[in-house]
Amino acid sequence: MKTALVCGAGGFIGGHLMNRLKNEGYWVRGVDLKHNEFGNNNADDFVIGDLRDPRVCESLFDRQIDEVYQLAADMGGAGYIFTGEHDAAVMHNSATINLNMAETARLKGVKKIFYSSSACMYPEYNQLDPDNPKCSEDSAYPAMPDSEYGWEKLFSERLYLSYYRNYGLEVRIARFHNIFGPQGTWTGGREKAPAALCRKVIEAENGGTIEIWGDGKQTRSFLYIDECVEGVRRLMESDWTGPVNIGSEEMVSINEFVDLIADVANKEIHKNHIEGPEGVRGRNSDNKLIHEKLGWKPTQPLREGIAKTYAWIGEEVAAAAE
Ligand code: NAD
């Protein structure tokens, strides 16, 4: 039986990935500061631990671990990573986790380690035009991410790649683009745009108004969680290191995105544009490389994923109100 360690297993993507690995027949150990609050908790062994502590990292390898999935990070949506208030924590916490995990994986002879980078590492200067953002993998340099979160991701990509070159540690690196879906944070300040906008539409009356950060003309693409996990597994099974985009190419403006959610909700929703942290003006995944290397790319229409996510957040909002 293959064994896997999922770091950040109490989080959104880690929880879904853990389920997927269990369904594939893996023995899975999860580690996180906390349990998954939405019930994605079916690890064979779940360790509550802080990966900033190298002794915790070492203790996770008291049995043979074939594959490591490193998703733990100090992270959140625009309200968390673009205000500047958490920059030092984001850089210190996430970099320490990655320094510890790369070194522990080397010392413990791990066969393969996956690292979740982010589209936030792409340079801001290629994402100023909302209609034509450039996020092909080869456009990463000269580097100029628009947040410290993005700089840390870039540093950690390079960290894992240097462990690959110098120590032969097999690494796989993906740059995720806005992953969303059920069992993700939907309130509390760390939620991301898809969950926050679904929640706002759910809470609004038919014909009501919701607040949107910025003019709503900024563009993004959003990838449903199941396709993200599929991409991670395909990358891990391949003999290619990456880095590679795992994202959707269905780019929408935030205004169009709100209209889509309102349509799924069957509500008329008006928009009040207010000042708020926005990130870059435009961003879209470029899936040429993933298709070329893995013979696969995400294809699910945004609407399908939003319908499932909207229904799930609706249940959560109703349960919270009881
Ligand atoms: P998440 O916040 O739900 O999960 C991250 C988990 O890491 C959390 O459960 C958190 O408790 C845990 N963690 C943080 N510090 C820790 C520590 N010191 N020790 C142990 N655990 C710790 O985020 P997510 O959306 O599941 O993202 C997973 C990974 O994917 C992250 O590395 C993130 O940067 C990356 N990513 C996500 C997206 C996205 O759209 N969700 C986009 C790009 C990149």
Side-chain angles (χ1 to χ4, degrees):
M1 188 189 266
K2 269 191 168 176
T3 56
L5 170 67
V6 178
C7 303
F12 168 51
I13 303 173
H16 282 271
L17 179 62
M18 202 160 62
N19 288 349
R20 168 71 186 255
L21 292 167
K22 281 296 298 167
N23 289 340
E24 286 188 38
Y26 278 71
W27 182 92
V28 184
R29 171 173 283 163
V31 57
D32 203 297
L33 292 170
K34 59 167 179 72
H35 284 287
N36 184 288
E37 54 266 61
F38 306 115
N40 272 341
N41 278 326
N42 67 350
D44 295 283
D45 181 34
F46 196 98
V47 178
I48 296 289
D50 189 335
L51 296 166
R52 291 171 300 181
D53 182 344
R55 288 164 304 184
V56 169
C57 298
E58 197 194 338
S59 72
L60 299 167
F61 294 87
D62 61 356
R63 60 168 290 166
Q64 168 76 29
I65 299 284
D66 300 322
E67 297 176 0
V68 174
Y69 294 82
Q70 196 326 69
L71 294 104
D74 190 358
M75 107 106 167
Y80 188 75
I81 58 177
F82 295 129
T83 58
E85 287 163 32
H86 309 285
D87 286 353
V90 164
M91 294 207 95
H92 175 266
N93 295 338
S94 297
T96 307
I97 293 169
N98 286 311
L99 287 162
N100 286 344
M101 284 312 300
E103 181 65 1
T104 312
R106 170 177 87 90
L107 293 172
K108 298 293 179 182
V110 166
K111 291 187 193 132
K112 246 185 224 179
I113 182 165
F114 170 83
Y115 173 59
S116 54
S117 181
S118 164
C120 288
M121 46 62 61
Y122 283 115
E124 185 177 19
Y125 57 78
N126 281 332
Q127 302 172 86
L128 299 174
D129 176 358
D131 297 324
N132 293 296
K134 183 172 177 194
C135 292
S136 53
E137 287 81 349
D138 61 2
S139 69
Y141 297 96
M144 190 49 74
D146 74 330
S147 66
E148 302 306 343
Y149 170 77
W151 279 105
E152 190 283 326
K153 289 293 186 193
L154 202 55
F155 164 78
S156 291
E157 283 190 5
R158 299 187 69 100
L159 172 75
Y160 287 106
L161 288 172
S162 51
Y163 269 68
Y164 172 59
R165 288 195 306 274
N166 293 167
Y167 302 129
L169 179 67
E170 280 284 330
V171 301
R172 300 287 179 271
I173 301 173
R175 295 171 177 162
F176 293 157
H177 289 243
N178 292 313
I179 315 302
F180 76 99
Q183 283 100 35
T185 305
W186 57 273
T187 188
R190 284 188 188 237
E191 67 276 22
K192 310 185 95 193
L197 294 171
C198 283
R199 188 199 66 231
K200 288 180 185 183
V201 171
I202 288 163
E203 289 172 345
E205 304 279 321
N206 190 9
T209 302
I210 66 168
E211 288 187 338
I212 295 175
W213 290 345
D215 62 9
K217 292 180 184 153
Q218 66 272 34
T219 54
R220 291 292 184 277
S221 70
F222 302 95
L223 184 71
Y224 191 64
I225 180 68
D226 290 357
E227 291 202 296
C228 168
V229 171
E230 180 70 29
V232 170
R233 289 292 300 124
R234 283 177 185 259
L235 177 62
M236 203 62 166
E237 292 293 304
S238 82
D239 54 9
W240 180 54
T241 303
V244 65
N245 291 328
I246 295 189
S248 162
E249 286 181 320
E250 186 179 342
M251 187 171 82
V252 289
S253 72
I254 296 299
N255 287 332
E256 289 166 340
F257 191 40
V258 172
D259 292 342
L260 173 69
I261 298 171
D263 198 44
V264 165
N266 206 13
K267 282 184 182 177
E268 190 190 326
I269 295 291
H270 302 283
K271 308 173 195 87
N272 179 22
H273 296 105
I274 59 165
E275 287 271 307
E278 283 180 54
V280 293
R281 284 303 285 164
R283 176 169 293 155
N284 194 13
S285 187
D286 180 321
N287 290 348
K288 273 187 229 63
L289 192 62
I290 192 169
H291 195 231
E292 181 191 316
K293 297 287 187 182
L294 303 184
W296 173 89
K297 63 179 179 176
T299 51
Q300 181 178 294
L302 176 59
R303 191 186 178 91
E304 272 178 41
I306 283 298
K308 292 183 221 169
T309 309
Y310 185 86
W312 179 79
I313 295 178
E315 289 164 18
E316 289 289 308
V317 170
E322 274 170 16

